[in-house]
Amino acid sequence: MGAHSCLLAVALLLVVAFAGKSSAQLSTNFYSKSCPKLLTTVRSAVKSAVSRERRMAASLLRLHFHDCFVNGCDGSILLDDTPTFTGEQTARPNNRSVRGFEVIDDIKSKVEKVCPGIVSCADILAIAARDSTVLVCRPPIRSYIKQQIPKVCVDLYQSGLQVKGPNWKVRLGRRDSKTASLAAANSGVIPPPTATLNELITRFQARGLSAKDMVALSGSHTIGQARCVTFRARIYNETNINSNFARTRQERCPSAANSGDDRLAPLDVKTAAFFDNKYYKNLVKQKGLLHSDQILFDGGSADSLVRSYSKNPKAFAADFAAAMIKMGNIDPLTGSQGEIRKKCGRPNSSS
């Protein structure tokens, strides 16, 4: 091969490599032409779901997190078990814990009506997680007069809609996995509620997220609830806990194992109904519900950031949005990888 041919071959290889790299990039306007009604369709469905059950906002946000941490943001957690296939839903971090699958199915059916075969379930989940966060930044109507909208909230949609929340533009273009991995979901990539600070940092770093990202994303625990079984050991055995807070939680969470395991308590003792920075204020007062919450403020390297977020809601909002974008970009399937599922609960081959 001559010198000219060699140079041409190298140039072609570089073009192919660049094309492959660029195809893996997600874009905020990926569906602007192929499905222009996507965002309004998802927003409307999420709003209906959260109106029916406010807790669903935290569930959808958590569903996106648990999806992304296992083999990337590929919608694999949405695949239902069959007689011949066991997916991720019954893995230890997910079993009787993650929820909201029926909401994603409902959104998918509505999206299919406006642009069939175009939008992945993984992208729908990413959008729903954002919209859920936005919707619960506004207090419930019954407390709206008494409580100001948290400073952490910023306008997302047109002011006429009166919807507020921490905003980020969701990057899209993910495709859906054709399979799921129970073993991967059980491998420890999803930090348990008993995790130490070092374990949290290490597991987030393994997914390309910094310690700062981890602390910011932990702020999602400003909404939602946890089961007694996940915080029993903390409220009965740990010393870095406010005594009155511990006693209050003990009233509904018995000390005996297998007793009241599924009883719920708010992760944020102050304003569990909407998204704000009270989670960090709770940690400073030793009122974190989970061990993995309070460990963020326990004399370690995360203390200063927790204290900063407790005092500066705008900084928390900005860092949370940035971390959500990074998390949503974990190993997506793009281009010709995977597929666009017709139904989120099963691969197309089984339809």
Side-chain angles (χ1 to χ4, degrees):
M1 182 182 291
H4 178 74
S5 298
C6 286
L7 288 173
L8 182 60
V10 170
L12 287 172
L13 286 172
L14 288 174
V15 168
V16 171
F18 180 77
K21 183 177 180 180
S22 61
S23 69
Q25 299 302 307
L26 305 180
S27 167
T28 57
N29 61 357
F30 188 83
Y31 297 108
S32 59
K33 293 182 179 179
S34 60
C35 191
K37 295 182 179 179
L38 171 62
L39 296 181
T40 55
T41 301
V42 175
R43 180 192 315 158
S44 176
V46 171
K47 187 174 183 179
S48 295
V50 173
S51 295
R52 290 191 301 269
E53 183 191 7
R54 200 167 180 85
R55 181 189 171 201
M56 186 54 66
S59 298
L60 294 176
L61 182 59
R62 188 161 180 258
L63 196 56
H64 181 42
F65 167 74
H66 279 230
D67 180 42
C68 290
F69 263 58
V70 181
N71 294 329
C73 308
D74 60 0
S76 58
I77 196 171
L78 303 174
L79 289 174
D80 298 327
D81 292 354
T82 70
T84 59
F85 167 78
T86 302
E88 299 167 12
Q89 295 179 17
T90 56
R92 286 186 298 274
N94 300 331
N95 192 32
R96 302 176 68 186
S97 177
V98 292
R99 56 197 296 273
F101 299 102
E102 72 286 353
V103 174
I104 299 300
D105 288 341
D106 176 64
I107 298 172
K108 174 65 172 176
S109 67
K110 288 178 168 61
V111 170
E112 284 294 298
K113 290 179 181 178
V114 297
C115 49
I118 299 296
V119 183
S120 69
C121 297
D123 275 346
I124 287 173
L125 184 52
I127 300 169
R130 188 277 307 275
D131 287 355
S132 295
T133 307
V134 170
L135 288 167
V136 294
C137 202
R138 184 177 183 178
I141 296 299
R142 62 181 179 273
S143 63
Y144 185 73
I145 303 300
K146 299 178 181 179
Q147 302 183 63
Q148 293 182 344
I149 292 176
K151 293 180 181 179
V152 71
C153 302
V154 295
D155 290 339
L156 176 60
Y157 304 124
Q158 295 178 358
S159 58
L161 293 176
Q162 297 296 305
V163 178
K164 297 178 180 293
N167 181 23
W168 65 95
K169 292 184 178 181
V170 182
R171 297 177 184 177
L172 304 167
R174 302 168 189 82
R175 288 169 65 85
D176 297 319
S177 171
K178 296 180 181 180
T179 188
S181 175
L182 178 67
N186 274 329
S187 67
V189 291
I190 300 174
T194 56
T196 65
L197 179 59
N198 184 60
E199 287 171 340
L200 288 171
I201 292 172
T202 300
R203 294 182 193 197
F204 274 73
Q205 285 180 338
R207 308 310 287 142
L209 298 166
S210 67
K212 181 179 180 180
D213 295 327
M214 180 272 292
V215 176
L217 289 172
S218 295
S220 63
H221 283 186
T222 188
I223 56 175
Q225 302 183 68
R227 296 161 61 223
C228 166
V229 68
T230 64
F231 60 83
R232 175 181 286 123
R234 168 154 169 74
I235 62 174
Y236 284 101
N237 302 329
E238 297 187 4
T239 57
N240 60 342
I241 187 169
N242 178 280
S243 57
N244 291 330
F245 172 72
R247 280 193 295 272
T248 299
R249 288 292 160 259
Q250 289 169 6
E251 290 175 2
R252 282 191 47 78
C253 183
S255 59
N258 303 316
S259 176
D261 285 2
D262 291 334
R263 293 182 183 177
L264 299 173
L267 287 159
D268 178 349
V269 68
K270 286 291 186 180
T271 54
F274 60 95
F275 200 101
D276 58 18
N277 69 328
K278 295 293 194 302
Y279 167 81
Y280 300 102
K281 293 179 180 292
N282 295 336
L283 298 186
V284 171
K285 296 177 181 178
Q286 294 191 321
K287 294 181 180 181
L289 183 63
L290 305 178
H291 174 84
S292 56
D293 288 327
Q294 194 59 57
I295 203 68
L296 301 181
F297 192 83
D298 193 38
S301 59
D303 281 19
S304 60
L305 191 54
V306 168
R307 196 178 294 279
S308 173
Y309 287 157
S310 74
K311 297 177 180 179
N312 191 338
K314 289 184 178 180
F316 165 51
D319 290 350
F320 181 83
M324 284 297 296
I325 292 172
K326 286 179 67 176
M327 187 186 80
N329 201 38
I330 296 175
D331 297 336
L333 299 176
T334 58
S336 60
Q337 299 173 314
E339 63 183 6
I340 303 298
R341 287 189 217 133
K342 297 176 183 177
K343 293 185 178 295
C344 293
R346 62 177 187 254
N348 293 338
S349 59
S350 63
S351 298

